[in-house]
Amino acid sequence: MSRWRIGAVTVTRVVELEMAGGTRFILPQAEPETVLPIGWLRPHFVDESGRLRMAIQALVVETPTRRIIVDTCLGNDKQDRGVPRWNNLQGPFLADLAAAGYPRQSIDTVLCTHLHVDHVGWNTMLEGGRWVPTFPRARYLMGRVEFEYWRTQREHDHHHPVFADSIAPVFEAGLVDLVETDHRVADEITLAPTLGHTPGHVSVRIASEGEEALITGDFVHHPCQIARPDWSSSADTDPDEARHTRERGRGELCDKPVLVIGTHFAGATAGHIVRDGDAYRLAV
Ligand SMILES: [Zn+2]
């Protein structure tokens, strides 16, 4: 478990899965021969043979008044996922979350940076053959644009298991608040639009007692994209806009005292973007 402090706010990482390799489908340009020369990626983010290390993890943001889980991973018991290994998971995520100090009933806010399969899974859990909200006392915050995009996708393609098992049940339970991409969640917590990976994608800004952090969501999947923002993910709905967002974000964060916490970053998970001649890296 890793935990960071930003003023009066803590951010705690609860890992569901970590992997090395098998990620080429997500970042096709990040081959061993292209990532190994970027030496700072080792050992946290790339292994000795040049395979990408990535994590699927939730980040719990605790403020003096709120307990927020940012992104809810894959979830147990889900079926029909595009990646075979993601089907019918039986992982200890909820026990790990409780062990970190956050029993599911204590979460008051669920925040989805976007509505992809690996960010909404634990929105629901299987109980008596039905998908029920995992966090029954929480408001689930989803971007209005993002939600409408996926709802329309589902209307065009009725077979949309992720929407059906992980989004619709919490919406139908009346737990969803549709919010704008610059929504203020709490005094210390604000959304920031980082579009391109999906049409309504947001990152999460934390500011408290003069300290700052940013939870990326998937506008950067992997730290190699800090060096190479032109490497788009195969999951980016608009690769050009996604590249512009990464370039702009890198410029805004570079050499600033802002802790960048990567939603899929393995190893150290967080660091500062620094300029190194005409190159950029994540200093951990
Ligand atoms: Zn993701």
Side-chain angles (χ1 to χ4, degrees):
M1 191 180 79
S2 314
R3 181 169 282 166
W4 302 271
R5 179 170 286 281
I6 302 100
V9 175
T10 62
V11 178
T12 302
R13 161 189 197 244
V14 180
V15 176
E16 185 181 52
L17 283 182
E18 282 190 298
M19 61 210 99
T23 49
R24 195 167 298 170
F25 75 96
I26 202 94
L27 282 166
Q29 287 151 300
E31 305 257 21
E33 52 273 26
T34 55
V35 296
L36 283 173
I38 309 172
W40 60 266
L41 290 172
R42 278 172 286 147
H44 288 281
F45 309 119
V46 167
D47 72 10
E48 290 305 313
S49 50
R51 298 185 305 171
L52 300 189
R53 297 183 62 211
M54 293 183 77
I56 295 177
Q57 57 203 351
L59 295 161
V60 181
V61 178
E62 184 160 28
T63 80
T65 58
R66 302 284 289 278
R67 200 170 261 198
I68 304 163
I69 185 167
V70 179
D71 290 335
T72 64
C73 309
L74 292 162
N76 278 1
D77 300 303
K78 306 280 163 146
Q79 306 293 342
D80 265 340
R81 289 350 195 200
V83 176
R85 190 185 164 197
W86 293 355
N87 283 311
N88 199 31
L89 283 180
Q90 301 296 322
F93 178 81
L94 289 182
D96 292 346
L97 185 66
Y102 305 113
R104 64 187 178 87
Q105 295 86 354
S106 73
I107 298 289
D108 59 50
T109 308
V110 178
L111 178 51
C112 299
T113 60
H114 62 301
L115 300 182
H116 274 163
V117 56
D118 53 322
H119 298 260
V120 299
W122 276 110
N123 283 359
T124 59
M125 54 192 275
L126 197 58
E127 201 175 79
R130 292 180 58 237
W131 295 109
V132 300
T134 305
F135 306 100
R137 298 188 179 162
R139 299 304 300 173
Y140 285 68
L141 307 188
M142 298 178 186
R144 182 186 309 281
V145 170
E146 183 76 7
F147 183 86
E148 292 304 335
Y149 174 78
W150 292 106
R151 180 153 67 181
T152 306
Q153 294 284 308
R154 191 201 192 190
E155 279 166 14
H156 291 299
D157 172 10
H158 291 283
H159 185 71
H160 203 301
V162 175
F163 197 97
D165 62 39
S166 301
I167 298 167
V170 289
F171 188 78
E172 285 156 14
L175 298 182
V176 172
D177 292 328
L178 297 178
V179 298
E180 305 308 322
T181 53
D182 59 355
H183 180 69
R184 172 162 286 238
V185 179
D187 287 346
E188 306 85 353
I189 314 295
T190 320
L191 304 184
T194 41
L195 311 181
H197 178 60
T198 60
H201 186 278
V202 294
S203 300
V204 183
R205 282 186 202 282
I206 302 167
S208 174
E209 299 177 352
E211 298 186 338
E212 285 184 61
L214 181 80
I215 295 175
T216 58
D218 284 2
F219 92 89
V220 261
H221 270 92
H222 187 278
C224 68
Q225 292 171 294
I226 292 167
R228 295 298 304 266
D230 55 316
W231 287 354
S232 263
S233 155
S234 51
D236 289 346
T237 49
D238 185 336
D240 282 337
E241 187 174 32
R243 175 172 53 81
H244 286 303
T245 296
R246 282 190 291 278
E247 285 169 349
R248 193 195 69 218
R250 183 177 80 168
E252 287 171 2
L253 294 164
C254 170
D255 296 328
K256 299 273 175 18
V258 179
L259 183 69
V260 175
I261 305 172
T263 295
H264 287 307
F265 295 4
T269 301
H272 291 84
I273 297 179
V274 296
R275 194 159 185 162
D276 201 348
D278 56 5
Y280 295 79
R281 64 187 165 86
L282 186 72
V284 300

